[in-house]
Amino acid sequence: MGYMGDYSMCICFPKKFGVTEAGPPVDVKEVFMKYATGGSGMTVEHLRRFLVEVQGDVEASMEDAERIVEEVFKRRHNNVKLSELALSLEDFQFYLFCVDLNPPLLNKVHQDMTAPLSHYFIYTGHNSYLTGNQISSDCSDVPIIKALKRGLRVVELDLWPNSSKDDVLVLHGWTLTTPVELIKCLRSIKEHAFSASPYPVIITFEDHLTPDLQAKVAQMVIQTFGNMLFCPSESDCVKEFPSPEELKYRIVISTKPPKEYLEDKNLSSRGSNSLKDKDSDEDTWGRMSADLTNDDDKSDCDASEHSQCDGDNEAYDRLLRPLGAPAYKNLISIPAGKPKGKLREKLKVEKDKVRRLSLSEQKFEKATVCHGTDVVRFTQRNILRIYPKGTRVNSSNYNPLIGWMHGAQMVALNMQGYGKPLWLMHGMFGSNGGCGYVKKPDFLMNVGPNDQVFDAKAKLPVKKILKVKVHMGDGWHLDFKQRYLWSSPEFYTRVGIAGVPADKTMKKTKKRKGNWTPVWDEEFTFQLTVPEIALLRIEVHEHNMSEKDDFAGQTCLPVSELRPGFRAVPLFNRKGEKFTSLRLLLRFEFVQVDI
C-alpha cells in the first residue's frame, strides 16, 4: 500500500512505468517527530495540537482529531477502533494527502451574505446556452445545467421570435447557431438552480422580442418558477438591491424594461422591424463590423436609449391585460439600461435608484483607462456586467481580473470554452464555500475624504507575504495512464500570482526526472500589494525535449482563503474538471507586513 492513496489498482505499474514510492518529505518527517514527541505514533491529542499550531485550525477539538484518525484507519487498515490507536508516519502522510480531510480552502459559506447584491462578485456566464463556438454551435440547456451544477449564479439567455412569430427561442442572433426553446431552458434552470448553492440565480435576458412575445415570456416565467420567482415592489424604481441572504432559493430576472415611448397604435405596425430598434445588453452581430471600426465615445450614445424610471407604461399594461399575463416589466428585479451620452455619463451614480449596466470588454477597458475611479464608484451601488467582445468567435475569454479589481460584479465568461481566464474564474469562485457569491473587499466599497475611492493604477505598498512550499505530487500514473506513457517522466511545477499588475508573477521548480511521485521541496515567496483579489496559480508540466512540454494538471486558489499549513491540493484538467487522483502536497505560510 502506498503512502498517498489506495494503490491496490496499480500492482503492475512498477514494471510498466517505473513507479517508485516516494517517502515523506523532510518537513513532514520533522513535524511528525515533533508532535509525536519522538515516539513512533501520533495520538489523537498529538494530532489536535498539530491542527492548532501548524494548520492554524485554532478551534480544532479532540472530536475533530478523532474523526481524522478514524477515517485514516478505516481507509488504510479497515479498522475503526480508536482505543490506543496512533497514526504512524505513513498514516500521517496519508492524511496530509487526503483532499477531503485536509483541503486548502474552507468548504462552507463564511462571509457576510446580508449586504446588497452590488457588494458581491457573482459567478456569471456569457451566452450560457451555447455548446461551442459563437457562430455555428448548437444551443441547448445542457451547458446551462452543467454550469449551474458548478455553482454559476448568472445565466444569460438571448430571446428571439421563432419564424412564425408565435413562440420564443434562445439563440445567438445573426448567426447559424441552432436554437433551443426558451421553456426548455427555464425548466432546466428550475430543476438545477440550487444543486450547488442556495443563493439566488439571476437570469439576464437579451431581449429581441415584440410586446406580445414579451407577454408570453412573462407567462412562461411565472408558470415555471411560481413562488421561486422574486418580484420587485410596486415602485418602478429599484432604490437598493436586496441581499443574497434575502434571495435564497429565489430566481431573479434582469433585463431592460420595455420602452416607454411605444404606443398601442404602432406596436403591430412595427412588426419584425422593431427588432432592429430594440436595446440589447450586447452589440448584435449585425452591428459587429461597425463596432470594430468605431469604438469612440460616439458609439456609446444611442438616441433610442432612455432612462428606465419615468413612470407607468400604460400602453404595455393595456396590451398585456387581455393576454392574462403579468406585465413583463413587473418581473424585472434588476433593471438594465444605459443613460444617454458618453461613457462617463453612463457611469453616473443616481441617488434614488440603482441599475445594471453592460459593457463589452473593449468599452470596459476604455472606461478603466479614462474613468477608472468612476467605474469603482459606480459599482459600489450599481451592478456592472462585462461581456466578451464579438470577435471571440471560438468562445475564448478575456482576463477577468481587470473587472474584479474595478469592482465589476458580473464578469461574464464563456463557460463552454477553456483556458487560463476560466481557470481564474473557477479559482475566484472557489471562495466562500463555492456558493457563487464572493464579498467584495472593503477597499472597493470604502469612500474616503473628497469622495475618494480605490484607484487600481495607484502604486501600493506590500501588504502581505505569502510563502508557498511545493513538497511533492502524486497520482499521474493513475489519471494519465490511458493518455500518456511517459517512460521516465520529468515533472516540474509552475507557481505564481494572478492579480493586480504589481503582484503578477510566475516561478517554477526544478525538474524531477524518473519519478511518478516527484518530490521538489522548493519554497517560493510572493509579496502582495492587493492580496484580497490575488489568485495563486499552480500548473504542473512534464518536460518534453523534442516537443512542447506536456500539460499535467493545474489549479487556481484565492489567496485570501488559503488555509495555512500542509495542505492537499487537487489538480484539474484544461477544462477545469478535477482529476480523480492527481494532487500536490503544499505548505502555505502568511507573513503580515507592518505598513
Side-chain angles (χ1 to χ4, degrees):
M1 190 74 71
Y3 295 132
M4 283 68 75
D6 182 359
Y7 283 10
S8 59
M9 296 174 57
C10 58
I11 297 172
C12 62
F13 279 97
K15 182 176 180 181
K16 187 173 183 179
F17 289 116
V19 176
T20 57
E21 292 184 352
V26 174
D27 288 6
V28 172
K29 293 178 182 176
E30 289 180 351
V31 79
F32 176 83
M33 293 302 294
K34 176 180 177 181
Y35 285 89
T37 61
S40 59
M42 182 180 281
T43 66
V44 171
E45 170 57 24
H46 294 154
L47 180 62
R48 190 198 68 79
R49 284 185 53 226
F50 166 78
L51 294 176
V52 172
E53 297 174 13
V54 178
Q55 302 296 84
D57 298 338
V58 293
E59 297 181 358
S61 64
M62 287 292 287
E63 289 76 18
D64 295 327
E66 284 178 358
R67 178 181 58 84
I68 292 171
V69 172
E70 180 179 349
E71 280 298 314
V72 170
F73 272 80
K74 185 188 297 183
R75 298 179 194 185
R76 293 201 80 230
H77 308 293
N78 296 317
N79 184 346
V80 294
K81 295 180 180 179
L82 290 174
S83 57
E84 299 182 5
L85 290 182
L87 298 178
S88 67
L89 176 58
E90 290 77 13
D91 292 331
F92 181 61
Q93 170 80 345
F94 177 91
Y95 152 64
L96 291 180
F97 245 107
C98 285
V99 173
D100 61 328
L101 299 179
N102 187 33
L105 307 174
L106 281 175
N107 58 3
K108 63 180 180 180
V109 176
H110 59 89
Q111 297 177 353
D112 174 21
M113 303 300 286
T114 63
L117 290 175
S118 55
H119 290 225
Y120 299 84
F121 299 131
I122 311 174
Y123 205 173
T124 303
H126 172 255
N127 288 351
S128 306
Y129 50 86
L130 286 179
T131 57
N133 68 62
Q134 304 285 311
I135 298 292
S136 60
S137 67
D138 290 338
C139 302
S140 170
D141 62 333
V142 172
I144 297 173
I145 295 170
K146 184 177 180 181
L148 288 171
K149 286 182 175 179
R150 182 157 202 147
L152 190 83
R153 297 292 85 189
V154 183
V155 175
E156 183 191 25
L157 301 177
D158 291 12
L159 308 184
W160 293 84
N162 65 354
S163 58
S164 57
K165 307 293 188 295
D166 62 356
D167 201 2
V168 181
L169 299 177
V170 174
L171 73 152
H172 196 195
W174 311 106
T175 69
L176 302 176
T177 53
T178 306
V180 59
E181 291 181 343
L182 171 62
I183 190 64
K184 186 174 184 180
C185 294
L186 295 179
R187 287 171 178 166
S188 292
I189 291 171
K190 178 183 180 181
E191 182 178 353
H192 300 281
F194 306 109
S195 58
S197 169
Y199 292 99
V201 167
I202 301 169
I203 305 175
T204 62
F205 290 148
E206 185 183 329
D207 176 1
H208 303 273
L209 302 176
T210 51
D212 57 326
L213 288 179
Q214 289 178 339
K216 187 163 187 172
V217 169
Q219 285 180 312
M220 288 184 195
V221 169
I222 288 287
Q223 291 170 0
T224 301
F225 297 115
N227 292 335
M228 293 170 67
L229 185 67
F230 175 80
C231 291
S233 63
E234 293 295 323
S235 171
D236 279 341
C237 292
V238 179
K239 296 183 179 180
E240 185 176 65
F241 294 119
S243 71
E245 191 66 32
E246 292 174 73
L247 295 172
K248 265 187 171 179
Y249 298 106
R250 304 299 288 273
I251 301 293
V252 179
I253 303 298
S254 178
T255 188
K256 289 184 175 136
K259 292 301 180 188
E260 302 294 332
Y261 58 84
L262 293 179
E263 298 293 340
D264 285 317
K265 62 184 178 181
N266 63 15
L267 291 178
S268 59
S269 64
R270 292 172 70 90
S272 61
N273 290 332
S274 67
L275 299 182
K276 298 178 183 177
D277 300 319
K278 289 284 181 186
D279 270 340
S280 67
D281 280 350
E282 303 188 25
D283 300 326
T284 63
W285 282 78
R287 300 201 306 266
M288 189 180 74
S289 59
D291 286 341
L292 295 178
T293 57
N294 181 16
D295 194 33
D296 59 16
D297 268 343
K298 289 185 290 184
S299 68
D300 290 320
C301 185
D302 184 345
S304 70
E305 290 178 333
H306 288 252
S307 175
Q308 301 297 334
C309 194
D310 298 324
D312 291 335
N313 188 331
E314 294 180 3
Y316 275 98
D317 288 345
R318 288 197 300 272
L319 177 70
L320 294 174
R321 282 192 198 108
L323 298 177
Y328 180 74
K329 69 186 179 75
N330 288 340
L331 301 180
I332 302 169
S333 301
I334 302 178
K338 300 177 184 178
K340 290 182 179 181
K342 296 185 177 181
L343 197 53
R344 189 165 191 173
E345 292 166 335
K346 295 182 191 302
L347 294 167
K348 183 180 178 182
V349 177
E350 299 175 75
K351 291 183 179 180
D352 58 346
K353 67 174 180 177
V354 291
R355 59 192 164 91
R356 172 172 68 83
L357 173 66
S358 286
L359 296 175
S360 68
E361 63 175 284
Q362 305 110 303
K363 289 183 181 178
F364 175 71
E365 185 176 351
K366 179 177 181 180
T368 60
V369 171
C370 303
H371 315 294
T373 55
D374 289 320
V375 172
V376 174
R377 196 171 288 109
F378 178 85
T379 61
Q380 291 183 336
R381 292 194 66 236
N382 301 279
I383 290 176
L384 179 59
R385 176 177 173 272
I386 308 164
Y387 58 89
K389 59 187 177 183
T391 52
R392 293 188 181 275
V393 296
N394 63 345
S395 294
S396 62
N397 287 302
Y398 56 94
N399 182 355
L401 276 157
I402 189 173
W404 295 325
M405 72 178 69
H406 287 87
Q409 296 88 351
M410 296 184 180
V411 179
L413 295 189
N414 292 306
M415 302 300 294
Q416 75 276 23
Y418 58 92
K420 291 178 183 177
L422 265 184
W423 300 353
L424 299 179
M425 176 75 95
H426 299 329
M428 170 62 79
F429 290 101
S431 302
N432 202 22
C435 74
Y437 286 82
V438 175
K439 191 80 158 50
K440 294 201 290 187
D442 289 342
F443 69 79
L444 285 171
M445 302 304 301
N446 293 340
V447 179
N450 302 317
D451 201 27
Q452 291 176 338
V453 296
F454 176 72
D455 184 355
K457 299 176 188 174
K459 187 174 182 180
L460 299 171
V462 172
K463 185 184 291 186
K464 187 174 287 188
I465 295 173
L466 169 65
K467 293 183 177 181
V468 180
K469 190 158 189 178
V470 184
H471 286 294
M472 63 185 300
D474 181 47
W476 286 280
H477 56 296
L478 295 174
D479 284 325
F480 279 74
K481 65 179 183 290
Q482 299 299 326
R483 295 176 54 202
Y484 298 101
L485 295 175
W486 295 316
S487 59
S488 183
E490 197 168 348
F491 293 114
Y492 64 92
T493 300
R494 299 181 72 227
V495 184
I497 298 292
V500 298
D503 294 347
K504 184 179 177 182
T505 186
M506 208 70 183
K507 306 174 182 182
K508 68 177 182 179
T509 66
K510 295 181 174 63
K511 303 178 186 69
R512 289 291 178 259
K513 189 173 183 179
N515 196 331
W516 284 81
T517 54
V519 177
W520 293 285
D521 275 341
E522 293 186 47
E523 186 173 78
F524 303 99
T525 299
F526 302 100
Q527 297 187 336
L528 305 173
T529 62
V530 187
E532 295 90 341
I533 60 171
L535 299 169
L536 180 67
R537 283 185 54 203
I538 301 168
E539 300 174 12
V540 180
H541 297 269
E542 199 278 322
H543 180 60
N544 189 326
M545 293 185 64
S546 59
E547 301 175 11
K548 184 178 179 181
D549 290 353
D550 291 311
F551 172 84
Q554 61 83 21
T555 194
C556 193
L557 301 166
V559 168
S560 62
E561 301 238 336
L562 288 175
R563 303 172 73 197
F566 296 87
R567 298 293 172 182
V569 176
L571 295 181
F572 299 77
N573 66 17
R574 293 181 187 274
K575 293 187 177 182
E577 300 160 340
K578 186 162 71 172
F579 286 110
T580 303
S581 306
L582 214 55
R583 59 227 189 273
L584 299 175
L585 180 63
L586 307 180
R587 185 172 184 178
F588 305 118
E589 180 184 354
F590 288 101
V591 180
Q592 197 68 38
V593 177
D594 295 328
I595 300 177

